[in-house]
Structures are given as structure tokens and as C-alpha cells.
Amino acid sequence: MSSVTDVINPSTGEVFTTVPSLDLAATDAAIERAAKVFPAWRAVAPGDRARLLRRFAALVDQHLDELAGLEVRNSGHTIGNARWEAGNVRDVLDYYAGAPERLSGRQIPVAGGLDVTFHEPLGVVGIIVPWNFPMPIAGWGFAPALAAGNTVVLKPAELTPLTAIRLGELALEAGLPEGVFQILPGKGSVVGQRFVTHPAVRKVCFTGSTEVGKSIMAGAADQVKRVTLELGGKSANIVFADADLEKAAASAPSSVFDNAGQDCCARSRLLVQESVYDKFLSLLEPAVKAFRVEQPSSPTAEMGPLISAGHRQTVTSYVEGSDIAFRGSAPTDSGWWFPPTVLLAHSTEDRHWREEVFGPVLSVLPFSDEDDAVRLANDTEYGLSGSLWTRDLGRALRVSRAVETGALSVNSHSSVRYWTPFGGMKQSGLGRELGPDALLSFTDVKNVFMAM
Ligand code: TAP
């Protein structure tokens, strides 16, 4: 039987509302509804589908402050970040609204007839969203999936369901037919798992822990179900001695403490060339101490609380017994606060250096030369994102090509642009989100030969 889940404000630790938690029967009913409306949705004329997505984007824009306010309360995101996140959903919808009219196939010359290749929608797509970026990660899945003609069932994280539920309502208001885009709040082990096993769900997009991602991939194999996986990260921020050290030090805190470090792209391993190691740490310390951890609704807040009491315990376990270089400060009120923390790594086997902490914790290690930097950066099972700082263009290119990550930024910490591909190498994931690559991943290729 479906039940309800408490929704907690991480800035206060208080329950402020409840949402339904769907059971298996309700999940099956929603999946079957999505399968039933799929033929009609894929048959909507491309221009009409584009118009519906643009109307949905416009409604997100009109409700931007409301959506951002919900995220501040439900996820503890700073108001500045939450506004960006709601704006990102609008932009991603606008970007993919251009797709239905441009998703063209190919005509390849053949003897004896006409050969046409189509990009067909898959059917029902199941999207499983984590708690760290509830709005953008939902949008990166549902916008291209809907644009390509699929219907969508989306499970938000139990901790952060509110913005997804509101987006589902706005989609209906925009005129998307009932059943085309459904939000299914509930447990991963019930609703999410059913996306993996239900034969009508043709693709699962999962963002979250590597452990659950692996189980989804294994489960999907049974039906050769398509998967896109966005998993963990332990990204390196590599600072060479010839870099603009002031700029690199000023930007390093936000590259790991933004969203309280609960970011798969967090540059949580700082590699500094040994000849400038001491100087760089002396530049970094005031920047870390000045990082503003405040009530997330404050316009000056750069960081809010962690998502839950349990997660704060996990993050604390990485700091206890480690060599703390310096820390910032955080409120001591109720709520799941944690100060920005910089740890010295003494070995690449240190737990905080190897594992994804998913909190505001930066580990620092010196390196000797370019080869050493690349070796250390690649000494991880992950490969999602990263940055490097240098004024040497040749080195920037050599190191960019050698570091095993899906996204890399030179002299900046940019990871996500909705028109370029985003995703991980190695155990950070499979497939790409955003840009043109994601659109095609929501289609299957069909080739038709017509004899003359
Ligand atoms: P997960 O357990 O992986 O949860 C992510 C999503 O998957 C949630 O919606 C969750 O549902 C659902 N889920 C859980 N078990 C499932 C299953 N067996 N089948 C299908 N769906 C399932 O992550 P978490 O517990 O939230 O966080 C744990 C760690 O994962 C973090 O500390 C961090 O290291 C990593 N993480 C990474 C990312 C990114 S962006 N790569 C995001 C979040 C977390 P519930 O609502 O029931 O939890």
C-alpha cells in the first residue's frame, strides 16, 4: 500500500510537509499509463511537440522564484544556486524544444532502392534522480526524452521530491497530455527498482551512487534495457607552478564547497606542484575561511547545510583522525551544518583522498612534474570532471588529453553547459547527458530499405 514520507528542512532539521510514497501497484499503474499514451505522444507533429515543450519552459520561467524557494527549503541549496537550477531546467527545455523538428535521419545511397535511417523513440523512459541536484538532473533526463517522443516516469529522491512534483504539475498546465510525464515519489528499492524490472520501461537514466548504479546496470541486462548512468566522482584540480596562482586559489573553494560539496563534479582532490605548494596553501587559507556558510535563503550565502543528519555523520567520519590544514566556519544552529574543511593527504591510500566524501572536504597533495600530476589524477576508479591551471598552452592540451575524465576545464571550473555533452569515464558512468549526444541516446536507430 502507498504511504507517506516526511519532508525535512535540512537548515532546521524540522519536518515541514509530507508526500506520498508509491507502492508497487501504483508504480505499475503509472508505467502502464505511460506505455498506453506513448503511441499518441510519438505521433504528435514535431512542431506541436516543440510548442508544448516551449510552453513548459515558459511556465518554469514564470514560476522560477517559487521553484527556487522550494529547493532552498527542501534541499538547503543557497538561493543563488536554486535560482540557477530552476533557470537551467527552463534552458534545457528550451534547448531540446528545438529537437523534434531537427531530429532528422539519413538517406544513404544504395543500389536497387531507397534506404532511410530513422531515429525512433524508445517508449517509456524511467528517470531516477538523486537528492543533490533535484531540478537540473531531472531536466537533463526528461527534456531530451520527451523531445525525442518518449513518455517519462520520474522518481525523485525520497529526501527531495518537492520541485519534481511541482514540475510535473507545470507540465500538465503547459498542455502535455496526461500520462506523458509522471512524477512517482517513493523509495528507490520500490519505485526505482520497478523501472529496472518492468518490461514496458525501455530505458533507465540513473544518477546517484556507483554502488546502486552497478546494480541497475546488472538488473537492466536481463532485458537488454538501455541505461544512462551518472555516478560518483573524485575529480582533481591540478595547479601547475606557472598558473595564475591567485586566481586558482580564489576559485578553488567554490569548486569543491559549492552545494556543500554534494556535487559529483566537486574538485575534491587538489594537486599542487611542489615548488609552489606552500605559497598556494597560504593563498587558499583566507579564501576557505572567507567562504560564507549561512542560512541558504540569505542572498550572501555561498553554502548551506548538508542534506541529512546521516550524511553529516558520514562526512564527519572522513575528517575524524585526519590531518586538518585549516577550516572555515558554519552556523551552530539546529540543522545539518558542516564547515568547509581542507585536509592534508599523506598518502594516496588515505580514505579521504580515495573515496567520494560528497561533503565540503578538500584533500590536498603535492606533485613533482607533469607526468606525476597525470599519474595521480588518474589514480582513481572515477573519471567525471576536473580542472587544470597553467599558462602553458601545450601543457594544457597534453594534460587535458591524458587525464581520464569525461569533462575537463582549463583555467576554470566549468563542468556543465546544456549544449555540450556531460558524463563520466571509468566508473563515473556510462553515456552522456545534455547536448546532442543525450538526444540520440533516447532513440533507437531503424534502417528501412525500399526496393524500386
Ligand atoms: P543512491 O542511493 O544512489 O540514490 C540515488 C537515487 O537512486 C535515489 O532516488 C534513490 O532512491 C534511488 N535508489 C536507491 N536504491 C535504488 C535501487 N535499488 N534501485 C533503483 N533506485 C534506487 O544515493 P544516495 O544514498 O542518495 O547517496 C549515497 C552516495 O551516493 C552519496 O554520498 C554520494 O557519494 C553518491 N551520490 C552521487 C550522486 C551523483 S550526482 N553522482 C548523487 C547522489 C549521491 P531513494 O529516494 O529511496 O534514496
Side-chain angles (χ1 to χ4, degrees):
M1 237 184 50
S2 294
S3 54
V4 292
T5 313
D6 290 340
V7 181
I8 297 172
N9 180 340
S11 307
T12 61
E14 284 162 8
V15 175
F16 67 99
T17 188
T18 56
V19 296
S21 181
L22 301 193
D23 64 6
L24 213 51
T27 305
D28 279 357
I31 292 171
E32 277 142 33
R33 208 174 303 128
K36 199 164 166 214
V37 298
F38 167 64
W41 176 243
R42 73 172 294 190
V44 170
D48 292 337
R49 209 184 309 140
R51 258 186 295 282
L52 286 168
L53 294 178
R54 286 202 185 93
R55 211 178 295 154
F56 186 7
L59 280 174
V60 171
D61 191 51
Q62 281 166 31
H63 291 81
L64 201 130
D65 286 340
E66 179 201 340
L67 287 163
L70 272 181
E71 207 64 278
V72 169
R73 214 161 168 213
N74 189 176
S75 306
H77 290 194
T78 64
I79 183 66
N81 280 4
R83 284 212 179 96
W84 180 89
E85 290 158 21
N88 179 263
V89 176
R90 172 202 57 212
D91 294 344
V92 171
L93 273 165
D94 262 334
Y95 173 74
Y96 285 112
E101 291 160 308
R102 293 174 181 81
L103 192 54
S104 50
R106 272 177 301 170
Q107 182 263 311
I108 297 172
V110 291
L114 176 70
D115 189 281
V116 190
T117 305
F118 297 91
H119 293 288
E120 304 282 18
L122 303 170
V124 181
V125 171
I127 300 174
I128 302 172
V129 180
W131 46 260
N132 62 329
F133 286 110
M135 278 194 280
I137 291 172
W140 302 353
F142 70 68
L146 293 169
N150 303 281
T151 54
V152 169
V153 284
L154 183 146
K155 192 204 92 63
E158 266 204 299
L159 292 169
T160 57
L162 298 187
T163 46
I165 291 172
R166 190 70 188 109
L167 287 167
E169 292 165 358
L170 293 176
L172 286 175
E173 207 178 314
L176 270 82
E178 291 269 355
V180 165
F181 176 44
Q182 299 174 79
I183 307 299
L184 277 57
K187 290 188 187 307
S189 55
V190 179
V191 180
Q193 189 53 34
R194 192 61 182 135
F195 292 179
V196 179
T197 57
H198 198 299
V201 177
R202 296 290 167 79
K203 171 167 180 157
V204 176
C205 291
F206 170 82
T207 305
S209 60
T210 303
E211 186 192 353
V212 175
K214 285 178 183 175
S215 79
I216 285 177
M217 191 169 171
D222 196 42
Q223 296 166 23
V224 196
K225 197 170 281 200
R226 277 82 180 120
V227 288
T228 296
L229 303 173
E230 292 293 350
L231 310 176
K234 192 71 190 174
S235 296
N237 180 13
I238 310 170
V239 181
F240 286 97
D242 70 343
D244 181 336
L245 297 183
E246 280 74 18
K247 206 169 161 195
S251 65
S254 62
S255 79
V256 58
F257 303 142
D258 192 50
N259 204 29
Q262 302 164 130
D263 181 346
C264 47
C265 291
R267 274 66 168 171
S268 53
R269 291 185 303 152
L270 175 63
L271 284 159
V272 186
Q273 195 152 18
E274 56 198 8
S275 57
V276 294
Y277 182 77
D278 290 340
K279 179 175 179 199
F280 192 80
L281 286 196
S282 71
L283 291 168
L284 182 63
E285 183 168 358
V288 168
K289 291 187 168 162
F291 207 74
R292 299 179 74 118
V293 186
E294 294 173 359
Q295 283 298 330
S297 54
S298 159
T300 55
E302 292 178 287
M303 184 180 129
L306 291 169
I307 189 68
S308 66
H311 190 52
R312 185 168 66 171
Q313 266 175 12
T314 306
V315 174
T316 303
S317 75
Y318 285 94
V319 175
E320 278 170 356
S322 297
D323 188 355
I324 301 175
F326 40 85
R327 312 181 86 165
S329 55
T332 49
D333 319 350
S334 54
W336 323 127
W337 302 97
F338 200 90
T341 301
V342 178
L343 301 179
L344 301 179
H346 295 291
S347 143
T348 54
E349 294 310 312
D350 286 355
R351 190 170 155 249
H352 62 83
W353 179 263
R354 290 224 79 79
E355 296 178 13
E356 183 177 43
V357 178
F358 226 58
V361 177
L362 173 65
S363 307
V364 194
L365 195 70
F367 66 88
S368 54
D369 57 15
E370 200 176 299
D371 287 346
D372 195 32
V374 170
R375 180 185 63 77
L376 287 166
N378 287 341
D379 180 24
T380 168
E381 72 205 30
Y382 294 116
L384 187 55
S385 195
S387 302
L388 66 101
W389 294 78
T390 178
R391 288 188 169 100
D392 179 336
L393 186 58
R395 167 177 287 155
L397 280 172
R398 280 192 304 275
V399 177
S400 296
R401 296 300 301 274
V403 174
E404 298 160 345
T405 64
L408 200 90
S409 194
V410 178
N411 296 331
S412 93
H413 295 298
S414 168
S415 291
V416 170
R417 295 153 301 275
Y418 56 81
W419 58 97
T420 61
F422 170 74
M425 290 184 178
K426 303 199 284 191
Q427 293 191 33
S428 282
L430 191 69
R432 290 294 176 267
E433 296 191 286
L434 299 171
D437 302 51
L439 183 70
L440 293 182
S441 80
F442 289 103
T443 67
D444 255 343
V445 169
K446 180 187 285 173
N447 185 268
V448 176
F449 172 74
M450 295 169 66
M452 280 198 282

